[in-house]
């Protein structure tokens, strides 16, 4: 079993897609072991996305992710990190495989509905950034 960090981003929360996305996650056999709604602060946003600090879209990305509440989730399952990335789909919803979360709920590359960790190192780092151990079940 491994764990991944998953987040429903402000665009999907604003569009009332929390339930739709969580329904897909649960039907896909991922186990939710932590979940909370939060407004990501600028400091946390910059830390979370620090690998992109020199990208031209970094400022836009931080502004977007802090623009409204998100839902932070820890998922557990067999091969969770890879299976979740597959279920999420390409960063650009227009390029994502049909049936993925980003084709269903994403608008464009900036507003692509969800985040999912891309490696076990990222999952550990992101889980630690967003959650205290006492919040994980
Ligand atoms: P990922 O979310 O699929 O792992 P990353 O390349 O890690 O994609 O990029 C992190 C986030 O930055 C993306 O989910 C997306 O919201 C945003 N992003 C990536 N590329 C662009 C871009 O070209 N313009 C605006 N936002 C972007
Ligand atoms: Mg990424």
């Amino acid at each position: 079993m491994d764990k991944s960090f998953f987040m429903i981003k402000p665009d999907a929360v604003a569009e009332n897609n929390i339930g739709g996305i969580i329904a897909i996650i649960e039907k896909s056999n991922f186990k939710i072991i932590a979940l909370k709604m939060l407004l990501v602060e600028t400091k946390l946003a910059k830390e979370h996305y620090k690998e992109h600090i020199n990208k031209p879209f970094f400022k836009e990305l931080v502004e977007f992710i802090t623009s409204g509440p998100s839902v932070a989730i820890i998922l557990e399952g067999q091969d969770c990190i890879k299976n979740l990335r597959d279920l999420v789909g390409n960063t650009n919803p227009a390029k994502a495989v049909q049936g993925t979360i980003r084709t269903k709920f994403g608008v464009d590359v900036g507003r692509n509905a969800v985040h999912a960790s891309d490696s076990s190192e990222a999952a550990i780092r992101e889980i630690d950034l967003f959650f205290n151990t006492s919040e994980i079940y």
Side-chain angles (χ1 to χ4, degrees):
M1 287 289 197
D2 53 21
K3 294 181 181 61
S4 191
F5 176 69
F6 181 66
M7 190 160 73
I8 304 175
K9 296 184 183 181
D11 57 326
V13 172
E15 291 295 322
N16 287 355
N17 287 327
I18 296 173
I21 291 170
I22 288 177
I24 293 171
I25 290 292
E26 291 193 320
K27 281 197 192 82
S28 305
N29 279 327
F30 295 103
K31 188 93 193 151
I32 295 171
I33 60 168
L35 183 152
K36 65 183 171 190
M37 192 167 187
L38 79 162
L39 183 62
V40 177
E41 294 175 349
T42 302
K43 184 168 176 269
L44 176 58
K46 286 180 171 170
E47 185 61 32
H48 174 61
Y49 282 123
K50 69 180 181 186
E51 67 175 301
H52 299 302
I53 196 156
N54 292 318
K55 304 272 173 65
F57 60 83
F58 185 70
K59 183 168 174 281
E60 182 191 330
L61 174 58
V62 170
E63 281 171 4
F64 163 67
I65 214 74
T66 59
S67 67
S70 294
V71 178
I73 300 171
I74 305 174
L75 296 174
E76 193 174 63
Q78 200 88 50
D79 224 355
C80 183
I81 293 162
K82 186 194 179 296
N83 289 340
L84 184 63
R85 290 285 291 191
D86 288 347
L87 183 65
V88 162
N90 193 283
T91 306
N92 184 347
K95 294 182 184 163
V97 172
Q98 279 305 312
T100 57
I101 291 175
R102 281 172 170 165
T103 61
K104 287 181 181 148
F105 301 104
V107 178
D108 56 36
V109 72
R111 291 169 295 166
N112 58 9
V114 293
H115 165 85
S117 305
D118 65 3
S119 65
S120 54
E121 294 73 28
I124 290 164
R125 190 181 81 84
E126 292 167 0
I127 285 169
D128 189 53
L129 267 179
F130 281 83
F131 287 93
N132 299 123
T133 49
S134 63
E135 296 173 310
I136 302 169
Y137 292 93

